[in-house]
Amino acid sequence: MDVRKRTLIATALVLGVAAGPAVAHAAAAAPPGAVAVRVPAGAAESPLYRTPPDAAALRKAITGVGPDNKDATAALVRVGGTSGRWAGSSGVADVRTGRAAFDEARFRAGSVTKTFTAAMVLQLAAEAKVDLDRPVQQYLPGLLPSGPGGFEPISVRQLLNYTSGIPAAEGPGDSFEAQYAHRFDVVDPHAQIAEAAAKGPEFRPGERQHYLNIDYTVLGVLIEKLTGTRYEQALSARILGPLGLRHTSVPSRTESRLAGPHHHGYQAVAKPGGGTSLVDVTEWNSSSSWAAGDLISTTADLEKFTEALFAGRVVPKAQLEEMFTVPAVADFETGKAAEQTAGMARFVLPDGTVVYGKTGSRFGYSTVIGGARDLSRTLVYSVNSTDAKGRDVNSVASGIVAAAFAR
């Protein structure tokens, strides 16, 4: 595949740009008001990926990663699926010591947490403990103000697919400097929800899609209400334990350290005289993200989870369809067609290939899980990006995506 096409594929997945004809694995009936993408008749038996991943291209994509690379200090990659497997790592775990990156390293997975949260809600739906079409206000009375200027009924499904209309809670500011100064703050999810709810709705439920953490903060509270346990305990009992994900965890609300053997994360910060320096951002309290972005994991654990999820071994297949269904609304910020599903997103690559997955970013860490729905190709990576929250596509991450999904 030529360089230009690889770049287009990478940009489409990393940024979520949907282009080209939609071709996907056969799906069950979609929920009301949603878009179900189907494969042409007779094509379901043919896997999207039939040849092994391009090992040379993948190795090239992570070559040169390290303390002198402007975009990333380390990279961990696992490509799997029925078409073949490849795994590799490069860079350093710690720029101070020069210790080499290692495959078993733990990292902050950011918004990949949302996929786990969505999976638990869908499990509860399969167990008839929650109805996705019922208003969340019935399960959590008093959480959202009603009446003039308040919130109309918001279904659990609308929280899952970001069409609730609940605005974001306030934070310390958008800049790295502002957030770094508050990196050890402990944030209570109920206070976050109250702060967001006090603003009133951004739009009527179901009219737009706005990708925000607040929906999954509410879902975390809902999980605790329905299970009678803390979110962290429910996650261990429902997903981590059954799948044997021994190196995946959610830290306690007051914890700022990254427990276990891990890669350090760094943010590039401009120096007064020009150039940049790397600020270690490994220790950071992520309670402000909680059920939306607090997960710590490894590439091996996330690969195991992704394969089990897509195969219907985490969420029963009837409810799993929610994770492969995009609501038929426009994005709140861009006006383009929505792309987010319940806990994942649909990406249409320039050649028409459809893949599903989830990106996640915390300062110092960029993560991806996902792949073809037929499990012929999966991808998990952790890139220690030096500008993980930046607008520009990380060159290392885009190279990995292009190499992994080349056909």
Side-chain angles (χ1 to χ4, degrees), residues 5 7 66 76 81 85 93 129 139 141 159 196 201 225 229 241 246 252 268 298 300 309-310 321 345 376 384 395 405:
K5 192 169 184 181
T7 302
L76 303 175
R85 294 184 178 275
K129 294 178 179 176
Y139 297 102
L159 291 168
K225 174 70 177 294
T229 63
R246 294 187 296 275
S252 70
T298 65
L309 180 69
F310 280 40
E321 198 60 35
S376 58
N384 287 99
S395 63
F405 289 110

Side-chain angles (χ1 to χ4, degrees), residues 94-248:
D94 184 339
V95 300
R96 182 180 57 85
T97 64
R99 183 165 55 100
F102 55 103
D103 293 341
E104 301 81 15
R106 299 181 192 185
F107 50 83
R108 300 192 187 278
S111 286
V112 168
T113 311
K114 294 182 176 73
T115 313
F116 287 74
T117 299
M120 287 196 285
V121 174
L122 294 174
Q123 287 176 347
L124 291 165
E127 297 162 12
K129 294 178 179 176
V130 66
D131 184 338
L132 300 184
D133 291 315
R134 283 185 65 185
V136 69
Q137 291 95 324
Q138 293 184 17
Y139 297 102
L140 299 171
L143 191 75
L144 300 171
S146 57
F151 290 86
E152 297 179 31
I154 296 170
S155 72
V156 175
R157 177 178 285 111
Q158 289 165 340
L159 291 168
L160 283 165
N161 62 26
Y162 313 98
T163 60
S164 70
I166 304 173
E170 293 297 327
D174 293 333
S175 72
F176 167 72
E177 290 76 14
Q179 294 186 51
Y180 184 75
H182 291 269
R183 66 192 182 280
F184 297 129
D185 289 1
V186 178
V187 178
D188 178 72
H190 295 271
Q192 271 188 314
I193 295 168
E195 185 180 83
K199 299 178 181 180
E202 287 187 319
F203 49 84
R204 296 187 67 189
E207 287 192 346
R208 294 282 190 274
Q209 183 176 81
H210 195 182
Y211 177 79
L212 294 171
N213 283 350
I214 193 66
D215 293 292
Y216 277 68
T217 302
V218 175
L219 289 172
V221 172
L222 178 64
I223 288 169
E224 292 193 331
K225 174 70 177 294
L226 297 176
T227 63
T229 63
R230 292 184 64 84
Y231 172 87
E232 298 85 348
Q233 294 172 316
L235 181 65
S236 294
R238 289 180 164 273
I239 298 178
L240 306 187
L243 292 183
L245 307 183
R246 294 187 296 275
H247 305 301
T248 301

